[in-house]
Amino acid sequence: MTDIRPASSLDAARFCAIYNHYVATTTISFEEAPVPEADMAGRIADVTDGGLPWLVLEIDDVVAGYAYATKWRARPAYRHAVESSVYLDPELAGRGHGQRIYARLLDELRSRGLHTVIGGIAQPNERSVALHERLGFRKVAHFAEVGVKFGRRVDVGYWQLLLAPQPGVTSG
């Protein structure tokens, strides 16, 4: 059975197990050292205390992945824009779980009145690009060689999704 629920600090250890795999073996994350459980718990608290969603995907009562949003920028004019992240247990990739939890995250963001969602994707990452584009994101930027990991320079692309318009706010 699959369930999606809000995250808590009790999920931090399992999130570390999922995330630290990507830290240690891929350029998907630009972190270079494993994230300790206490730091992950702090990250969860920072996101949720800031009024943004952090969701957990459970399959048969086991945490299989998570998705969350953070502020895009600190200045007040950016308050309707967020950056999104999604991570799955690597054993479960390619089965539609990422799309399921990401779609729920987008629903949560809409319900909170947010307008713009931005996904940064280290390149190459065909699976993440395909996931974002299936959900309606479109590529809006590409920065060459902005990261260095495992002794090589890494590009980052940005995909954007505009959520429902907000009353009283015009585009353009």
Side-chain angles (χ1 to χ4, degrees):
M1 184 166 89
T2 302
D3 185 35
I4 298 174
R5 61 168 175 79
S8 79
S9 62
L10 299 176
D11 297 308
R14 182 66 181 129
F15 290 176
C16 286
I18 292 168
Y19 183 65
N20 286 335
H21 160 80
Y22 294 101
V23 171
T25 65
T26 75
T27 59
I28 288 171
S29 167
F30 279 5
E31 294 202 62
E32 297 177 319
V35 176
E37 184 178 339
D39 289 0
M40 185 65 77
R43 292 176 186 191
I44 296 165
D46 287 346
V47 168
T48 57
D49 290 351
L52 292 171
W54 190 313
L55 303 176
V56 180
L57 172 71
E58 288 186 337
I59 300 174
D60 297 327
D61 298 320
V62 174
V63 173
Y66 60 93
Y68 63 96
T70 56
K71 291 179 182 178
W72 171 242
R73 295 280 188 258
R75 293 191 176 128
Y78 291 115
R79 68 187 168 277
H80 300 289
V82 295
E83 185 169 5
S84 57
S85 295
V86 60
Y87 289 94
L88 290 178
D89 181 319
E91 299 293 320
L92 300 172
R95 300 183 195 174
H97 298 302
Q99 186 168 340
R100 186 173 300 114
I101 192 168
Y102 212 153
R104 178 74 68 83
L105 178 67
L106 296 174
D107 289 344
E108 281 285 326
L109 296 171
R110 281 183 191 95
S111 75
R112 294 171 193 227
L114 292 155
H115 180 68
T116 303
V117 184
I118 300 161
I121 306 171
Q123 296 297 300
N125 187 337
E126 294 171 10
R127 279 188 165 168
S128 187
V129 168
L131 171 62
H132 283 82
E133 291 180 352
R134 272 195 309 274
L135 291 166
F137 286 74
R138 65 180 183 89
K139 189 173 186 180
V140 294
H142 189 104
F143 298 104
E145 300 182 358
V146 293
V148 176
K149 191 163 179 190
F150 304 133
R152 69 179 183 93
R153 298 192 184 282
V154 182
D155 293 3
V156 175
Y158 282 91
W159 276 254
Q160 179 182 24
L161 177 67
L162 298 178
L163 302 171
Q166 295 172 312
V169 179
T170 59
S171 295

